Amino acid sequence: MAWSVELQSLAQAGLTYGKDHYDRERYERIRVIATEMLSEGSGLPLEQVRSIFCNESGYQTPKLDSRAAIFCDERILLVHEKNGTWALPGGWVDVNVSVRENTIKEVKEEAGLDVSADRLIAVQDRFKHNLPLYAYGVCKIFVLCSLLVGRFKKNLETTGYDYFSEGALPQLAEEKILLSK
């Protein structure tokens, strides 16, 4: 699958910067082949892959995802996802919002808590650490936060939060959190 993602990225760059009509046709064909490869390898319908995989133009860069690490008494705060798994609060970094602002906003939306974003603690390439594989790159940014005030509020993404010790973690959302080996 990594090959199809790389081919799509190269084709997208060629479509963006290519000047020659014939080269642009070739890049378009490479993009189609990459989409077919990903569809075949993933079992997803071709149209679904095309809508995810070929929806952008311009030079392809990773999307940003920020996650908050909030500790209390040597336990970490996790939010309970609607699918039953647990994750660090966070999400896609919005346009015109800094990573700091986005992390604070996501904690408020998912946990109802006000926090300060104190320090960047990790940056990861999602492709190297999480499953399932995505058809685009994601840069995950982890921010150490301090709790200020607040309590859980009903929302569209999560059903609650709790603090967990390292030895008593619940079922984690593997697409969002790196599981230690």
Side-chain angles (χ1 to χ4, degrees), residues 61-134:
T61 60
K63 296 181 180 297
L64 291 178
D65 174 23
S66 70
R67 296 282 155 183
I70 305 162
F71 293 91
C72 179
D73 299 326
E74 297 185 25
R75 297 178 302 145
I76 192 162
L77 181 133
L78 300 175
V79 291
H80 192 237
E81 303 277 330
K82 294 239 175 171
N83 69 2
T85 61
W86 294 79
L88 295 171
W92 297 123
V93 176
D94 294 328
V95 173
N96 294 328
V97 177
S98 71
V99 169
R100 178 186 172 281
E101 294 167 330
N102 196 80
T103 305
I104 292 168
K105 175 186 73 70
E106 288 288 335
V107 173
K108 184 69 168 181
E109 289 175 359
E110 295 184 2
L113 303 174
D114 292 322
V115 298
S116 63
D118 303 329
R119 191 174 79 213
L120 175 73
I121 55 174
V123 177
Q124 288 182 338
D125 178 348
R126 186 195 179 283
F127 185 75
K128 298 183 184 306
H129 300 284
N130 299 97
L131 293 174
L133 298 177
Y134 284 0

Side-chain angles (χ1 to χ4, degrees), residues 1-96:
M1 184 163 124
W3 292 350
S4 59
V5 171
E6 184 176 359
L7 279 175
Q8 193 302 73
S9 177
L10 292 171
Q12 187 170 316
L15 288 168
T16 300
Y17 298 113
K19 304 286 188 234
D20 182 86
H21 170 74
Y22 298 106
D23 284 342
R24 291 183 56 76
E25 284 182 350
R26 290 180 190 100
Y27 289 125
E28 190 57 52
R29 179 64 187 134
I30 291 170
R31 188 179 223 184
V32 168
I33 292 169
T35 303
E36 291 169 349
M37 289 170 61
L38 187 59
S39 175
E40 182 77 24
S42 68
L44 295 172
L46 186 60
E47 283 307 312
Q48 182 180 356
V49 172
R50 186 176 292 123
S51 71
I52 296 170
F53 206 41
C54 302
N55 205 18
E56 296 184 27
S57 60
Y59 190 78
Q60 190 172 34
T61 60
K63 296 181 180 297
L64 291 178
D65 174 23
S66 70
R67 296 282 155 183
I70 305 162
F71 293 91
C72 179
D73 299 326
E74 297 185 25
R75 297 178 302 145
I76 192 162
L77 181 133
L78 300 175
V79 291
H80 192 237
E81 303 277 330
K82 294 239 175 171
N83 69 2
T85 61
W86 294 79
L88 295 171
W92 297 123
V93 176
D94 294 328
V95 173
N96 294 328

